[in-house]
Amino acid sequence: MALWGGRFSQGPEESVFALSRSINFDWRLAPYDLRSSMAHLAILEKNGLIESDDATAILIALKELSAEVAKGEFKPIASDEDVHSALERGLTEKLGEIGGALRAGRSRNDQVTTDLRLFAIDHILEIAMLLTKLQDAILNKSAEYINDPAPGFTHIQHAQPVSFGHELAKHAHAFARDLDRIEDWLTRTSVSSLGAGALAGSSLALDPAFTAENLGFATSFANSIDAVSDRDYVAEALFIYAMIGTHLSRIGEEWTLWSSTEFAWAKVADGYSTGSSIMPQKKNPDMAELARGKSGRLIGNLMSVLTMLKGLPFAYNRDLQEDKEPLFDSIDTLLLVLPAVTGMIATTDFDREKMALAAPTGFSLATEIADYLAKKRVPFSQAHEAAGKCVALCEASELQLHQLTDAQFLHVHPQLDGGVRAVLTVHGALNSRTTLGGTAPALVAVQIKEAQLANAKTGAKIASRMQAFSEMMSA
Ligand code: ARG
């Protein structure tokens, strides 16, 4: 059903209608559109802009339509341009002329962005909840390996030994920042655009603050022109999703590397692996690779919306219709990837012995020699030089650092005595890293506990927001 046409002598050409049409992707806004229509109806009725009997009939029809949409009984048809026109057709089919009464004081411009905000809030909460489940998996897995040493890397070269629990737990801190960003986004996005009309507000007695509250928003717009053109919340959500994707991709890279034959640290469960159609022996970490690969489209979706917004004149321009598919795609992508990665992490086992054996190799304890001298107040430049000389000596004679003789140590530096061997063990090195946030297992245990507590709190907060949102939707 066309929502316009009075001043036209002919309808749109087929190609024009095909390009205009957004119903094939915006139909998923239907529940939010129906709910925001109820809020608009409430203010029209409250301020006497609609007969009370008509308002009651419209409300009943909106509720029926909601149920029919949910059950798939009411569907768009070929002549519907977008979700708004399809639903107005549904109302008119039930009520006749008064089905169009809701258009008073409202434009699709303020309507569509209100709907999209509600959709975005609903789905970011779902993603946040999945993130807390991912956090649980990461932190529980980390806790299993607190006392297991492994080589820590910089430049993918052995750097210093670390607690493997510490190595795994780092990911939880990255996702905690994403959850923080979501919290921040929720605060900033809690602004209703309803009442802004096409761009200038309305001459009818509407009450944007009332509709805002009715829809669970913290506040209503301050500038109607900005209200219909603002898509910052879309771009910001896409940034958050791209960042989550980037974090997932780094997990994907690690899991792929660690499960390789060369590393053979990670044993990914069969349920989270795939086989090869030609090589029967293969067990591939495809979930990890897809987590890595999907980051491409998450970043791409952000770029596409930012590019669409760049240089766009204010108020409404049809370009803005292009805000939806990237947002939908990023959400759908994460709804697929997050549970798979969560399961993959929860079911992966690591070869403790192999990691422990590798921990001291590659002279990863050389820093201990330098720190030993630094504690004796030897200037660090000299201490570093001396530790480097020990490594060179070992390389030339194929020895490990702790195998150098007292005489060799003293020859390298007069203050480097045999006592240094006490710190040339992986456990000694790990336990000595007691700086706050460091890799000493006793500290790692505390870090993980604290992160688990924080995650449980975040989870509870998200659950109550979800509850409030679904109560608002079904009000
Ligand atoms: N389908 C449109 C969109 O997604 C709805 C708004 C149309 N507004 C207009 N002035 N043509 O943006």
Side-chain angles (χ1 to χ4, degrees):
M1 187 182 118
L3 298 182
W4 46 271
R7 57 112 60 221
F8 290 82
S9 57
Q10 67 172 91
E13 292 295 337
E14 211 180 300
S15 61
V16 171
F17 187 64
L19 178 58
S20 290
R21 219 167 163 249
S22 54
I23 191 95
N24 47 326
F25 53 84
D26 70 14
W27 181 239
R28 55 201 290 185
L29 295 180
Y32 311 94
D33 192 83
L34 288 161
R35 181 62 186 84
S36 70
S37 286
M38 290 177 202
H40 185 59
L41 175 69
I43 193 62
L44 292 181
E45 186 189 6
K46 183 167 173 275
N47 289 347
L49 293 160
I50 203 165
E51 292 289 343
S52 177
D53 289 352
D54 287 349
T56 309
I58 295 174
L59 185 61
I60 291 170
L62 283 170
K63 295 221 154 149
E64 276 173 21
L65 209 48
S66 292
E68 288 162 16
V69 166
K71 283 189 246 154
E73 287 165 13
F74 180 83
K75 287 198 200 94
I77 56 173
S79 57
D80 293 328
E81 182 188 325
D82 58 17
V83 60
H84 321 293
S85 39
L87 292 173
E88 187 171 314
R89 174 178 59 79
L91 269 190
T92 317
E93 280 167 8
K94 287 182 187 294
L95 302 168
E97 267 302 292
I98 63 158
L102 280 179
R103 259 201 255 161
R106 188 175 64 169
S107 153
R108 279 185 294 166
N109 298 356
D110 60 343
Q111 188 177 0
V112 71
T113 188
T114 305
D115 299 352
L116 191 61
R117 258 177 217 261
L118 291 173
F119 173 93
I121 293 169
D122 197 7
H123 287 80
I124 214 166
L125 289 172
E126 199 181 338
I127 285 171
M129 201 46 129
L130 289 177
L131 274 180
T132 65
K133 303 218 164 99
L134 172 64
Q135 294 286 66
D136 278 338
I138 295 170
L139 292 165
N140 290 341
K141 193 49 73 177
S142 305
E144 287 178 37
Y145 294 93
I146 293 172
N147 293 306
D148 292 294
F153 300 89
T154 60
H155 312 269
I156 323 190
Q157 305 283 335
H158 284 204
Q160 293 173 343
V162 293
S163 143
F164 193 62
H166 193 213
E167 183 78 83
L168 291 174
K170 71 195 178 210
H171 292 298
H173 295 273
F175 291 115
R177 287 191 293 276
D178 293 325
L179 282 161
D180 230 44
R181 275 183 267 272
I182 290 177
E183 180 69 31
D184 187 44
W185 179 94
L186 282 164
T187 308
R188 203 172 18 263
T189 301
S190 196
V191 182
S192 170
S193 306
L194 210 55
L199 81 164
S202 177
S203 63
L204 301 180
L206 302 179
D207 185 351
F210 172 89
T211 40
E213 202 190 326
N214 185 296
L215 292 172
F217 288 107
T219 164
S220 60
F221 61 91
N223 177 314
S224 60
I225 304 174
D226 175 55
V228 293
S229 61
D230 170 25
R231 293 295 184 278
D232 291 9
Y233 65 98
V234 176
E236 280 189 48
L238 287 173
F239 171 76
I240 296 172
Y241 297 152
M243 200 71 241
I244 295 171
T246 305
H247 291 147
L248 288 168
S249 81
R250 296 176 83 171
I251 291 186
E253 168 61 12
E254 264 179 4
W255 249 250
T256 309
L257 193 67
W258 290 345
S259 61
S260 67
T261 310
E262 281 63 34
F263 262 82
W265 287 10
K267 281 181 285 259
V268 178
D270 281 2
Y272 289 89
S273 308
T274 47
S276 155
S277 52
I278 182 169
M279 298 166 283
Q281 85 286 6
K282 289 279 272 178
K283 189 174 138 185
N284 295 326
D286 286 24
M287 289 313 100
E289 293 164 55
L290 283 167
R292 193 175 54 191
K294 293 277 189 194
S295 60
R297 64 200 293 159
L298 294 168
I299 294 167
N301 288 335
L302 168 64
M303 290 310 127
S304 105
V305 166
L306 283 177
T307 311
M308 180 273 285
L309 291 173
K310 182 195 165 295
L312 197 68
F314 264 70
Y316 184 83
N317 300 274
R318 195 58 178 269
D319 315 46
L320 287 172
Q321 183 165 293
E322 290 295 305
D323 58 1
K324 290 169 206 61
E325 285 169 289
L327 183 67
F328 297 164
D329 183 70
S330 286
I331 289 168
D332 292 343
T333 299
L334 286 176
L335 293 179
L336 274 178
V337 176
L338 285 169
V341 172
T342 303
M344 176 187 83
I345 292 174
T347 56
T348 299
D349 283 324
F350 293 93
D351 189 333
R352 298 171 201 265
E353 208 177 321
K354 192 148 200 264
M355 294 190 297
L357 281 173
T361 61
F363 305 110
S364 66
L365 295 170
T367 316
E368 308 313 310
I369 298 178
D371 283 356
Y372 181 76
L373 287 173
K375 281 180 193 155
K376 294 187 167 209
R377 307 254 170 103
V378 173
F380 198 78
S381 49
Q382 265 186 42
H384 184 281
E385 183 76 14
K389 280 197 179 133
C390 291
V391 170
L393 214 57
C394 285
E395 266 184 333
S397 48
E398 291 191 17
L399 291 173
Q400 292 296 314
L401 289 169
H402 68 272
Q403 292 171 321
L404 292 175
T405 64
D406 286 8
Q408 283 174 307
F409 279 133
L410 284 172
H411 184 73
V412 167
H413 193 284
Q415 276 169 276
L416 188 58
D417 51 53
V420 72
R421 280 190 208 92
V423 297
L424 288 178
T425 67
V426 169
H427 283 283
L430 285 190
N431 290 326
S432 72
R433 296 275 184 272
T434 53
T435 335
L436 204 61
T439 204
L443 286 183
V444 173
V446 176
Q447 290 163 30
I448 292 175
K449 251 278 125 10
E450 281 174 358
Q452 283 171 325
L453 286 174
N455 190 48
K457 253 193 186 165
T458 307
K461 204 163 168 185
I462 295 162
S464 81
R465 280 183 184 272
M466 286 176 117
Q467 174 74 20
F469 192 88
S470 86
E471 278 166 18
M472 178 282 292
M473 284 298 284
S474 54

